[in-house]
Amino acid sequence: MAVTRTAPDRARGARARPAGPGRSGWRRRRDAVGLVFALPALALFAAFAIYPMLRVFQLSLYDYNLTSTPVWVGLDNFRFLFGDERFLASLGASLFFVVVTYGPAVLLALVLALGLNTRMRGSAFVRLLYFAPVATSWVAVSVIWRLVLQPEGLLNQTLNTDIPWLTSSTWAKWAIAIAAIWKEVGFFLIIFLAGLQNIPKDLQEAAALDGAGSLRRLRYVTLPLLKPITVVVLVMAVIRGFQSFSPQVVLTGGSFGTEVINLFVYKTAFASARMGRASAVAVLMFVLLLMVTFVQLRALRRSA
C-alpha cells in the first residue's frame, strides 16, 4: 500500500535538506566555522615552527652574535663552513654515527621483528621489553650507559677488558654507537612488526603450498611487501641519526671525535655566539636531509 506524505512532513523534509544554492551556502558556513576553530592551532604552528624556520634561513645570511645588530654577509657563512675543519669533522662524526648506529639497528630490528611476528605465549611481553628503552629519555639512557662504560663498569667486567670507552678517540665513537643501538632497536622493531602483521597470511600460505621454503618466502613474499615500510624506516633512521645530541653531550661532551652536527650548532650559537654561522649549518643540514630523503623515495619508486 502506498504511503502518502502529509504537507507538514514535506515541509520538514525541505527544511532538513536545503537544495541548490542553499546547500552550498551551508557548506561554506560549515567550512568557515571549521577554519575559525583551527585558527588558534595554525597561529601557534606559524609562531613556533614556520617563523623560526624562516628566521634561521634569514640569519644564515648575516653575521649576528646576539648582542649587536645583524650585518649582511651574504654567502660568507657558507663559504667559511666549507673550509672549516671543525665543521667538516663534525659532519664526519655525524655520518659515522648514522652508519654505525642505525645500519645495525635497522637490520637487527628487522631480524627481531621476523622472529617476534608470531602468536606464541609471551611474545607481547618480549616486545614490551624491547620497546622499554625507546620510552626512556636519551638523558636517562646516557646516564645509565655512562656507568656501564666506566673503566670499572659492567661492560669491561663482562668482557674482562680494560678499555677506556669514554676517554679514547678510538673507542668513544663506538661506545656511543653501542648505547644508541640498544635504545633505538625497539623503535624500528615496532614499525617492522606493524608492517609484517599487515601482510596477508594467504600469500604466505599460497607460497608454502607451491613448495617455497622459509627463505624463499622471505625473499619473494615478505621483503617485497615490506619495502614501503623499510623505506620509511630508513628515512626516519637517517633523520634521527643526524638529530643526535644528548648522548654525545652526556657521555663525552663532544670530545674524542664525537662532536656531531647538532652539538657543533649548539656550541657555535651559544658558546661562540655566532648565530649566523650556526643558522648556516642548520640550513645546510636541512638541504642535505631533504636530498637524502628524495633519493630514498626515488629509489623506492624505481624498484617498485
Side-chain angles (χ1 to χ4, degrees):
M1 183 176 69
V3 178
T4 58
R5 299 179 61 190
T6 61
D9 292 336
R10 289 194 295 271
R12 284 195 297 270
R15 287 195 298 268
R17 297 188 302 274
R23 178 174 296 183
S24 61
W26 177 79
R27 288 177 178 173
R28 285 195 296 269
R29 289 194 296 272
R30 180 192 63 185
D31 295 340
V33 171
L35 179 60
V36 169
F37 280 107
L39 278 177
L42 293 175
L44 290 174
F45 180 75
F48 294 102
I50 302 299
Y51 172 74
M53 184 175 66
L54 296 177
R55 183 65 170 164
V56 165
F57 275 88
Q58 179 189 13
L59 287 178
S60 67
L61 304 175
Y62 287 83
D63 182 15
Y64 179 47
N65 61 5
L66 294 176
T67 58
S68 61
T69 303
V71 178
W72 171 268
V73 294
L75 299 177
D76 287 351
N77 287 327
F78 298 93
R79 296 191 189 98
F80 173 84
L81 290 174
F82 285 118
D84 184 19
E85 294 183 358
R86 185 181 166 194
F87 167 71
L88 296 177
S90 66
L91 181 59
S94 291
L95 289 173
F96 178 89
F97 180 76
V98 170
V99 173
V100 173
T101 298
Y102 287 89
V106 170
L107 182 59
L108 183 58
L110 177 58
V111 173
L112 291 173
L114 291 171
L116 292 173
N117 188 31
T118 62
R119 294 185 177 180
M120 66 179 184
R121 182 175 300 178
S123 60
F125 178 71
V126 175
R127 296 173 195 173
L128 178 62
L129 289 180
Y130 278 109
F131 192 75
V134 181
T136 308
S137 71
W138 252 121
V139 174
V141 169
S142 300
V143 171
I144 293 171
W145 276 93
R146 187 178 179 87
L147 298 175
V148 173
L149 296 169
Q150 291 296 319
E152 302 297 330
L154 180 62
L155 186 58
N156 275 342
Q157 292 180 12
T158 302
L159 299 177
N160 195 23
T161 59
D162 190 22
I163 298 176
W165 291 102
L166 301 178
T167 56
S168 168
S169 299
T170 303
W171 296 105
K173 296 178 181 179
W174 295 98
I176 295 176
I178 292 172
I181 291 172
W182 179 80
K183 175 172 170 54
E184 296 286 76
V185 164
F187 177 78
F188 301 118
L189 169 64
I190 297 300
I191 299 176
F192 277 129
L193 274 174
L196 288 171
Q197 291 174 356
N198 284 328
I199 296 177
K201 299 296 183 182
D202 297 343
L203 297 178
Q204 299 281 0
E205 295 172 357
L209 290 175
D210 288 340
S214 299
L215 292 179
R216 295 179 70 85
R217 292 200 304 271
L218 174 65
R219 179 179 178 182
Y220 295 108
V221 178
T222 304
L223 293 182
L225 293 176
L226 202 61
K227 190 174 295 182
I229 297 296
T230 304
V231 172
V232 171
V233 166
L234 291 176
V235 170
M236 296 180 69
V238 172
I239 294 175
R240 289 171 73 91
F242 277 102
Q243 288 179 337
S244 180
F245 177 81
S246 298
Q248 287 79 8
V249 172
V250 177
L251 291 174
T252 63
S255 303
F256 308 107
T258 62
E259 185 181 67
V260 291
I261 284 292
N262 273 0
L263 186 53
F264 174 80
V265 170
Y266 172 79
K267 290 183 177 180
T268 302
F270 299 105
S272 302
R274 304 304 296 264
M275 294 296 296
R277 289 179 184 174
S279 299
V281 177
V283 171
L284 286 176
M285 294 312 302
F286 172 79
V287 174
L288 175 62
L289 292 177
L290 192 64
M291 292 174 58
V292 170
T293 303
F294 177 76
V295 169
Q296 290 175 317
L297 294 177
R298 285 292 298 272
L300 171 65
R301 293 194 184 99
R302 288 185 178 180
S303 60

